[in-house]
């Protein structure tokens, strides 16, 4: 075993305090037994910066960093704190906050750009590796990009050639990143009153890249020094993410790889198999993972694995790649963000294949302790450690690359050491709830509609809807807040839509099964889940797929009876264990789309009370949504429930919740 990097004096994490998940606890203990350091240990040994955490450290020029700690006892009277240039705490916190939005929006949107480029190659027929799988979805998104789907020939309206539609969609989509004039097409998909608000405020994104670039300019030393103006630019960039880069990523991925429909899988580290070649795919872009899935299912690859003594090939996903291949192929989710090192520590990971985002550099150090081949695949995401193999993935030779990667994993199976220990824990899960499949499942076989959902919200069986999303964070007990928030919501009849690592956490806890409704839900939600046959927590995909939540909310508005705008709905958002800049971008586009959004842990705005108050109170007057913060998961859930109840009252449907008894006709209507 290779030398371990753990320092002599360092403390070890308590496995029970570090995670609620038994598989994770076992693997943390296993790491300790083997002398291998993980993120859980590092979190015990290094505390976060008390000033940075509050958003009041400015390092945007070389006169600083200027640190503006809050005085003991808080601000009494005028806030006189300022940096060398005179920047106030509000300016500094707002600059830092919108730089986080820029980072998050850039990550999501660059992912989207990558998909759009592959889509253009497909449309131009430059590659036959990827093909358009879902023409129905292509036709449904085309009008939103101002692409005609019919043509008039000799006075007769005919369907337009699908290749022509694909090419124009590809070109229009790709232009959204840098078009010189106009605003993003997809913003018009929002409910009209919301679109009008954005227009009036002047926050309609002009193009995706420009809004991100402008954040970097405005937050350069000596430019924008007004927190309200700074956050306005943050809003433009965040909307360019949610209603731009992320939404395009989701749509084009669906067109290329198929729009998800419900399917079953398993989740947690226990999905790895000792007698199989285990390949863990980790990161975000399905461009890579789709090809790995297809290659690992090829009979010749399975035969090759058998020739090396394995019984087959077991794929597993980590992070949002897990969500992507789960929702389209039922590939098991091996774990969340905080379990990436642990998958290698099983000793059974023959290859970990990574692309972009949320990948610890530390996985390379852990891989050194085992036989695991760590393979980076993206030109913008390499690692300095010398045990890392880089195989650049490109749509023009994707098949060959995927085959090379899968063969490396198979060849490596025989190099396993004796130290294999796979935790037994795993849970059954159902995912694949796209906007389209929810409509189909709730609306019945003949006429898909969201009205069934609205009807059940109006009659009070479903109290409201919550989007619970986001990361794990090693500063808090792994999955504890995720699961506590979700269980408290469904116990109170709130239907949960989940994405990202929350989706994986819920899968690991068994909450993505229809059977969990009878165990954890209030009577109204349990009844709906039983009749319709859905889980109380609907897995809607990866973090870019938070765009699905925006569109689902828009469909609910369209279905009628619950107001005219997203901010009218009994709806709330949550990221209980957030950590990434992407979460801040998502949070902000939720807020700017009218969603009351609660984050756990802390927000990097607390050191600037005026700016913090602007986010948590004033924004609501403009967009109808606002930020909130609550670390305690039960209080967190109840803030969301209180907001849902407030909206029910405003809609005049608060009394309906008293009458949840259903007669036979009601039940039949539910299943219609
Ligand atoms: O984009 S939830 S830890 S995996 S950032 Fe990362 Fe957070 Fe997980 Fe996906 Ni999203």
């Amino acid at each position: 075993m290779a030398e371990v990097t753990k320092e002599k004096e360092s403390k070890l994490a308590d496995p029970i305090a570090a995670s609620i998940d038994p598989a994770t606890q076992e693997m943390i203990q296993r790491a300790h037994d083997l002398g291998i350091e993980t993120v859980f240990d590092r979190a015990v040994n290094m505390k976060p910066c008390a000033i940075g955490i509050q958003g009041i450290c400015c390092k945007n020029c070389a006169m600083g960093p200027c640190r503006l700690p809050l005085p003991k006892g808080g601000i009494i009277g005028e806030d006189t704190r300022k940096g060398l240039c005179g920047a106030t705490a509000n300016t500094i916190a707002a600059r830092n906050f919108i730089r986080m939005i820029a980072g998050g929006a850039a990550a999501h949107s660059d992912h989207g750009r990558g998909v759009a480029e592959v889509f253009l190659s497909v449309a131009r027929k430059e590659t036959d590796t990827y093909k358009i799988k879902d023409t129905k979805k292509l036709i449904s998104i085309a009008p939103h990009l101002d692409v005609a789907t019919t043509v008039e020939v000799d006075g007769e309206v005919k369907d337009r050639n699908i290749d022509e539609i694909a090419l124009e969609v590809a070109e229009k989509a790709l232009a959204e990143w840098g078009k010189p004039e106009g605003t993003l097409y997809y913003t018009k998909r929002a409910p009209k009153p919301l679109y009008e608000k954005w227009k009036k405020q002047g926050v309609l994104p002009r193009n995706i890249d420009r809004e991100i670039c402008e954040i970097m300019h405005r937050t350069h030393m000596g430019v924008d020094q007004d927190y309200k103006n700074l956050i306005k630019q943050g809003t433009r960039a965040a909307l360019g993410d949610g209603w731009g880069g992320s939404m395009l990523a989701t749509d084009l991925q669906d067109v290329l790889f198929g729009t998800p429909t419900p399917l079953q899988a398993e989740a947690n580290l226990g999905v790895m198999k000792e007698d199989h070649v285990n390949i863990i795919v980790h990161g975000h872009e399905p461009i890579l993972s789709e090809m790995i899935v297809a290659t690992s299912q090829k009979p010749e690859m399975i035969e090759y694995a058998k020739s090396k003594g394995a019984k087959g090939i077991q794929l597993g996903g980590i992070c949002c790649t897990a969500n992507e291949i789960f929702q389209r192929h039922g590939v098991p989710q091996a774990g969340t963000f905080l379990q990436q090192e642990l998958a290698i520590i099983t000793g059974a990971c023959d290859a970990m294949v990574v692309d972009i985002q949320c990948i610890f550099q530390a996985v390379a150090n852990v891989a050194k302790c085992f036989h695991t081949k760590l393979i980076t695949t993206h030109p913008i995401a390499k690692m300095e450690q010398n045990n890392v193999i880089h195989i650049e993935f490109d749509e023009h030779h994707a098949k060959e690359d995927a085959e090379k990667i899968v063969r490396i994993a198979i060849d490596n199976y025989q190099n396993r050491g004796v130290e294999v220990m796979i935790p037994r824990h795993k849970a059954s899960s159902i995912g694949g709830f796209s906007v389209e499949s929810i409509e189909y499942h709730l609306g019945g076989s003949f006429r898909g509609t969201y009205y069934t959902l609205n009807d059940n919200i109006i009659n009070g069986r479903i109290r409201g809807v919550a989007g619970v999303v986001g990361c794990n964070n090693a500063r808090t007990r792994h999955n504890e807040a995720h699961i506590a928030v979700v269980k408290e919501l469904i116990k109170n009849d709130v239907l949960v839509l989940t994405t990202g690592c929350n989706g994986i956490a819920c899968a690991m806890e068994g909450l993505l099964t229809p059977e969990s409704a009878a165990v954890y839900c209030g009577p109204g939600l349990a009844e709906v889940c039983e009749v319709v046959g859905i889980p109380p927590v609907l897995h809607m995909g990866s973090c870019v797929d938070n765009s699905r939540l925006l569109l689902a909310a828009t469909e609910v508005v369209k279905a009628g009876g619950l107001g005219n705008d997203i901010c009218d709905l009994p709806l709330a958002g949550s990221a209980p264990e957030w950590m990434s800049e992407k979460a801040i971008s998502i949070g902000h586009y939720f807020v700017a789309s009218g969603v009351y959004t609660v984050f756990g842990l802390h927000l990097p705005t607390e050191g600037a009370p005026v700016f913090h108050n602007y986010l948590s109170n004033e924004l609501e007057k403009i967009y109808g949504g606002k930020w909130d913060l609550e670390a305690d998961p039960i209080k967190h859930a109840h803030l969301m429930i209180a907001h849902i109840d407030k909206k029910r009252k405003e809609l005049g449907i608060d009394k309906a919740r008293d009458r949840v008894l259903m007669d036979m006709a009601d039940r039949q209507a539910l299943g219609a």
Side-chain angles (χ1 to χ4, degrees):
M1 184 164 294
E3 202 184 323
V4 174
T5 53
K6 188 161 68 70
E7 284 174 20
K8 266 191 194 148
E9 299 303 318
S10 64
K11 290 182 264 173
L12 296 176
D14 170 359
I16 307 291
S19 175
I20 62 162
D21 168 47
T24 302
Q25 292 166 355
E26 282 174 21
M27 292 316 295
I28 294 171
Q29 188 54 54
R30 177 70 174 157
H32 293 167
D33 295 345
L34 296 173
I36 299 168
E37 177 201 85
T38 67
V39 62
F40 300 99
D41 305 314
R42 290 189 291 276
V44 171
N45 287 291
M46 185 170 58
K47 296 291 165 213
C49 164
I51 296 168
I53 207 172
Q54 297 179 70
I56 39 175
C57 170
C58 182
K59 55 181 180 60
N60 295 10
C61 88
M63 296 196 292
C66 293
R67 293 144 47 100
L68 272 55
L70 275 168
K72 280 204 178 84
I75 310 278
I76 299 160
E78 198 189 340
D79 185 353
T80 54
R81 294 173 296 160
K82 53 181 100 59
L84 259 62
C85 69
T88 63
N90 295 324
T91 300
I92 290 171
R95 278 179 184 161
N96 290 336
F97 192 75
I98 73 168
R99 277 200 173 196
M100 292 185 85
I101 293 178
H108 282 148
S109 301
D110 217 30
H111 165 167
R113 184 204 320 268
V115 181
E117 284 171 347
V118 171
F119 189 79
L120 183 63
S121 291
V122 173
R124 285 181 175 161
K125 305 212 181 288
E126 292 170 356
T127 171
D128 60 358
T129 306
Y130 300 96
K131 293 212 165 34
I132 290 174
K133 211 170 187 175
D134 191 343
T135 48
K136 195 172 158 205
K137 179 114 186 189
L138 174 63
I139 288 166
S140 79
I141 65 168
H144 298 301
L145 290 163
D146 216 6
V147 175
T149 55
T150 54
V151 277
E152 209 178 303
V153 183
D154 302 330
E156 207 183 318
V157 177
K158 292 192 168 164
D159 287 343
R160 194 175 169 202
N161 176 288
I162 201 80
D163 290 344
E164 273 178 39
I165 297 174
L167 189 59
E168 202 181 329
V169 163
E171 286 167 352
K172 286 260 176 68
L174 205 46
E176 291 296 83
W177 272 266
K179 63 186 181 188
E181 291 180 322
T183 53
L184 291 189
Y185 281 116
Y186 272 8
T187 49
K188 287 207 170 123
R189 297 177 81 172
K192 194 142 191 295
L194 181 56
Y195 177 84
E196 292 301 331
K197 268 179 219 163
W198 295 335
K199 197 171 165 190
K200 188 172 160 217
Q201 291 299 320
V203 294
L204 285 169
R206 294 157 289 185
N207 69 50
I208 297 163
D209 286 348
R210 178 172 181 172
E211 306 309 356
I212 295 165
C213 175
E214 194 170 304
I215 284 183
M216 299 312 286
H217 181 188
R218 286 194 194 209
T219 57
H220 182 277
M221 195 273 148
V223 187
D224 204 345
Q225 345 237 358
D226 171 2
Y227 66 91
K228 291 184 192 172
N229 208 36
L230 283 159
I231 197 63
K232 201 167 184 177
Q233 182 54 26
T235 302
R236 281 190 198 97
L239 292 174
D241 173 359
W243 296 86
S246 281
M247 200 172 276
L248 284 162
T250 299
D251 277 352
L252 299 179
Q253 285 169 182
D254 282 357
V255 174
L256 282 176
F257 310 126
T259 303
T261 54
L263 34 65
Q264 193 174 358
E266 291 177 322
N268 212 342
L269 292 167
V271 303
M272 295 172 75
K273 292 186 181 143
E274 188 159 359
D275 53 8
H276 280 55
V277 173
N278 289 294
I279 304 176
I280 296 291
V281 199
H282 171 20
H284 284 77
E285 290 187 350
I287 299 290
L288 166 74
S289 51
E290 281 285 323
M291 212 38 70
I292 302 285
V293 172
T295 306
S296 64
Q297 288 169 351
K298 282 185 182 166
E300 64 265 33
M301 282 297 161
I302 295 166
E303 277 314 306
Y304 187 54
K306 285 183 179 165
S307 77
K308 299 286 178 178
K311 287 198 172 141
I313 303 171
Q314 179 62 55
L315 277 191
I318 297 265
C319 282
C320 281
T321 286
N323 292 316
E324 298 285 4
I325 52 183
F326 166 52
Q327 69 180 343
R328 293 197 182 85
H329 302 284
V331 171
Q333 298 162 301
T336 64
F337 172 68
L338 281 183
Q339 290 171 284
Q340 52 188 288
E341 294 160 303
L342 308 182
I344 299 176
I345 293 169
T346 60
C349 177
D350 301 303
M352 178 176 274
V353 191
V354 304
D355 56 13
I356 48 160
Q357 300 169 25
C358 303
I359 298 146
F360 290 170
Q361 187 168 355
V363 290
N365 303 338
V366 177
K368 276 187 194 168
C369 305
F370 296 88
H371 76 302
T372 305
K373 301 283 186 201
L374 179 62
I375 304 168
T376 53
T377 58
H378 205 289
I380 70 161
K382 295 188 177 182
M383 288 183 183
E384 69 183 58
Q385 289 98 322
N386 58 13
N387 61 322
V388 181
I389 305 167
H390 187 73
I391 299 176
E392 207 143 299
F393 207 78
D394 181 299
E395 73 267 25
H396 300 287
H397 43 81
K399 268 186 199 155
E400 296 77 11
D401 293 339
E403 218 170 287
K404 196 165 158 191
I405 290 167
V406 173
R407 277 184 191 276
I408 288 175
I410 295 171
D411 288 338
N412 200 29
Y413 175 75
Q414 291 176 327
N415 297 329
R416 278 196 200 165
V418 285
E419 62 273 11
V420 171
M421 192 192 110
I422 301 172
R424 286 197 327 274
H425 311 277
K426 59 181 175 179
S428 177
S429 59
I430 292 177
F433 288 95
S434 55
V435 174
E436 295 83 347
S437 70
I438 292 177
E439 183 178 52
Y440 172 80
H441 276 268
L442 291 173
S445 322
F446 302 109
R447 194 175 59 89
T449 173
Y450 268 72
Y451 192 74
T452 319
L453 175 61
N454 290 28
D455 196 27
N456 279 295
I457 294 172
I458 293 164
N459 68 29
R461 284 180 199 108
I462 296 176
R463 188 173 192 155
V465 179
V468 189
V469 307
C471 326
N472 288 137
N473 186 319
R475 298 294 178 197
T476 188
R477 197 176 179 208
H478 170 239
N479 284 0
E480 183 173 57
H482 277 315
I483 299 307
V485 167
V486 170
K487 283 189 178 167
E488 192 63 19
L489 289 168
I490 60 177
K491 184 175 126 190
N492 285 281
D493 291 325
V494 176
L495 177 70
V496 172
L497 310 179
T498 179
T499 62
C501 287
N502 180 274
I504 306 173
C506 288
M508 287 161 56
E509 189 70 12
L511 297 175
L512 302 189
T513 59
E515 299 75 41
S516 67
V519 183
Y520 297 110
C521 293
L525 180 61
E527 188 157 14
V528 175
C529 290
E530 193 197 334
V531 173
V532 183
I534 54 168
V537 182
L538 302 181
H539 183 279
M540 294 191 80
S542 65
C543 281
V544 293
D545 293 332
N546 281 311
S547 62
R548 296 192 203 276
L549 269 62
L550 297 175
L551 292 177
T554 304
E555 288 303 319
V556 172
V557 172
K558 272 197 233 159
L562 290 171
N564 301 316
D565 197 351
I566 291 176
C567 64
D568 297 333
L569 303 175
L571 167 72
S574 156
E577 300 181 24
W578 79 279
M579 66 85 204
S580 85
E581 291 170 323
K582 291 182 286 176
I584 292 289
S585 182
I586 295 165
H588 199 64
Y589 72 64
F590 270 26
V591 167
S593 300
V595 183
Y596 170 66
T597 303
V598 193
F599 269 40
L601 289 131
H602 52 78
L603 278 174
T605 53
E606 290 173 278
V610 173
F611 175 58
H612 185 79
N613 178 59
Y614 188 72
L615 295 182
S616 17
N617 291 307
E618 299 301 314
L619 280 186
E620 192 177 24
K621 295 172 192 156
I622 305 172
Y623 302 110
K626 64 174 195 168
W627 283 89
D628 209 344
L629 168 66
E630 178 53 64
D632 180 283
I634 301 301
K635 287 185 191 158
H636 183 117
H638 280 280
L639 282 172
M640 298 166 74
I641 294 166
H643 177 80
I644 284 168
D645 285 349
K646 184 177 105 182
K647 292 293 164 183
R648 293 189 68 85
K649 195 163 184 199
E650 284 170 13
L651 289 163
I653 55 170
D654 51 323
K655 298 286 179 288
R657 277 197 52 74
D658 299 337
R659 306 188 305 263
V660 286
L661 285 176
M662 297 173 81
D663 60 19
M664 192 48 72
D666 288 337
R667 285 164 190 271
Q668 282 164 350
L670 261 181

